[in-house]
Amino acid sequence: MKWDLPTLLEPVGGRKRFHQPLARYSSFRIGGSADALVLVEDIENLKTLQAIALAHDIPLFILGGGSNLLIRDGGIRGIVVAMRGTFRTCRVVPCADEPESGCQRAEVHAGAGCSLSRLAMQLAQQSWSGLEFAYGIPGTLGGAMIMNAGTHLGDLSQVVIAAQVLLASGRVETIPSQDLGLRYRGSSYPAASIVVGATLRVQQGNRDTIESAMRESNERRQRTQPLWLPNAGSIFKNPPGTAAARLIDELGLKGTRIGGAMISPVHANFLVNVDGAKATDVEALMQLIRTRVYEAYGIELEPEVRIVGEEG
């Protein structure tokens, strides 16, 4: 390690772990160690951490919920950040401009560390509708904002009003949704910025109807996705006009295995960790799929999973 991180990070509050294995923080259960893992509790400590990283040219990686992520076997250099504390709070603010009919709309102010699925459930229990599609999506709101996470039922772009972002200057800025570049599994944020929260729109609904829709969506996931094995969700984005899973399935690749990683027999666009898989196993399977799909269809599959870290 070229930085004296224990000394440099002394001004930062929160739990700090050095040479920390990251596999347990990844839904894939794969990955080497971080030079430093910092569990940040509030915005002031995050600002301090960001300033130290920028001043000393130390890479800063925001971990989120560890889903939709493949951490390479050599681990991550620099500082890995997990948002805790105030970043996991949520506040619902009902509208104030409908005095006759009663409030039918609300804004949700939630921190980037909130579990997306838990947030959807919390809102449903209060009869707020809008995030039904998000129930069952793993990971945090911050990561979901970066990915514009969604399902066949919808995505975050449909409910986002604004994002709260910590800029490289150390200032927190609210950026309206139209300036976030939200698109299919992607977005555009200022360079070196960190999503710290979001404002979402919801509307009043019937709790039973909302929870029924969420149960149905979750049951569909249970039937069609290998959720009982470590995975990172969909590995590839769907190409225009088709589905990555269909292309992979048509080539008879379900069940193909390299090392401890396998193309799921249940869902062809899921790679699963069946026996102590390494990141190199997963990347080799990804390359096999991309090569075979391109040879057969002339389609370049684009990874949806984010690959970070160094090779082992």
Side-chain angles (χ1 to χ4, degrees):
M1 188 193 307
K2 65 179 181 179
W3 309 281
D4 181 6
L5 292 178
T7 300
L8 287 172
L9 296 180
E10 281 181 1
V12 181
R15 289 167 287 172
K16 287 163 277 192
R17 298 164 183 168
F18 301 97
H19 309 291
Q20 176 67 41
L22 294 173
R24 60 173 288 205
Y25 297 94
S26 159
S27 63
F28 237 147
R29 298 295 183 261
I30 293 172
S33 298
D35 290 342
L37 173 67
V38 183
L39 281 64
V40 179
E41 300 286 335
D42 56 51
I43 190 66
E44 293 307 317
N45 276 299
L46 182 60
K47 287 181 178 180
T48 302
L49 183 57
Q50 182 194 53
I52 291 170
L54 290 172
H56 296 274
D57 196 27
I58 303 171
L60 195 65
F61 178 74
I62 308 301
L63 181 61
S67 59
N68 201 52
L69 181 71
L70 176 64
I71 302 171
R72 287 187 165 128
D73 304 312
I76 299 177
R77 303 288 69 77
I79 304 167
V80 174
V81 179
M83 294 187 182
R84 301 290 191 266
T86 60
F87 295 109
R88 287 180 164 179
T89 59
C90 168
R91 181 167 55 97
V92 179
V93 181
C95 64
D97 58 354
E98 298 171 353
E100 294 182 3
S101 60
C103 183
Q104 298 296 314
R105 297 176 292 111
E107 290 186 358
V108 179
H109 301 268
C114 286
S115 159
L116 188 60
S117 192
R118 286 181 193 153
L119 179 59
M121 177 56 75
Q122 178 182 339
L123 293 170
Q125 290 171 346
Q126 299 174 32
S127 300
W128 293 112
S129 174
L131 253 67
E132 289 90 330
F133 73 88
Y135 184 64
I137 296 178
T140 59
L141 178 60
M145 290 288 290
I146 297 292
M147 284 296 300
N148 186 27
T151 66
H152 68 288
L153 297 175
D155 59 39
L156 274 179
S157 70
Q158 298 169 341
V159 296
V160 172
I161 296 173
Q164 286 75 52
V165 176
L166 176 60
L167 302 176
S169 65
R171 181 169 59 88
V172 176
E173 180 175 308
T174 296
I175 303 177
S177 60
Q178 61 267 27
D179 296 331
L180 296 176
L182 296 173
R183 55 191 181 274
Y184 173 63
R185 302 302 176 263
S187 59
S188 300
Y189 286 84
S193 65
I194 302 171
V195 177
V196 296
T199 305
L200 312 175
R201 68 173 61 87
V202 291
Q203 52 279 337
Q204 195 72 44
N206 178 275
R207 175 173 174 174
D208 290 341
T209 301
I210 296 167
E211 291 184 343
S212 176
M214 290 167 56
R215 281 195 302 273
E216 183 178 336
S217 176
N218 192 50
E219 288 168 0
R220 181 180 184 274
R221 280 175 171 274
Q222 297 288 338
R223 291 193 307 271
T224 61
Q225 298 176 3
L227 303 182
W228 56 91
L229 290 171
N231 68 82
S234 295
I235 288 291
F236 296 106
K237 298 179 182 179
N238 288 325
T242 188
R246 183 178 68 80
L247 301 177
I248 300 166
D249 193 8
E250 286 178 353
L251 292 172
L253 293 176
K254 279 184 175 179
T256 301
R257 180 170 171 170
I258 294 179
M262 180 174 67
I263 302 172
S264 171
V266 176
H267 192 304
N269 199 24
F270 274 62
L271 303 188
V272 291
N273 181 354
V274 292
D275 186 19
K278 296 184 177 297
T280 49
D281 300 334
V282 175
E283 290 193 78
L285 265 183
M286 291 177 67
Q287 186 55 51
L288 171 66
I289 291 169
R290 296 185 76 185
T291 299
R292 292 286 302 276
V293 168
Y294 184 76
E295 289 174 348
Y297 303 105
I299 294 174
E300 287 271 12
L301 287 181
E302 181 181 352
E304 181 170 326
V305 67
R306 185 178 181 189
I307 301 173
V308 299
E310 299 185 348
E311 296 180 0

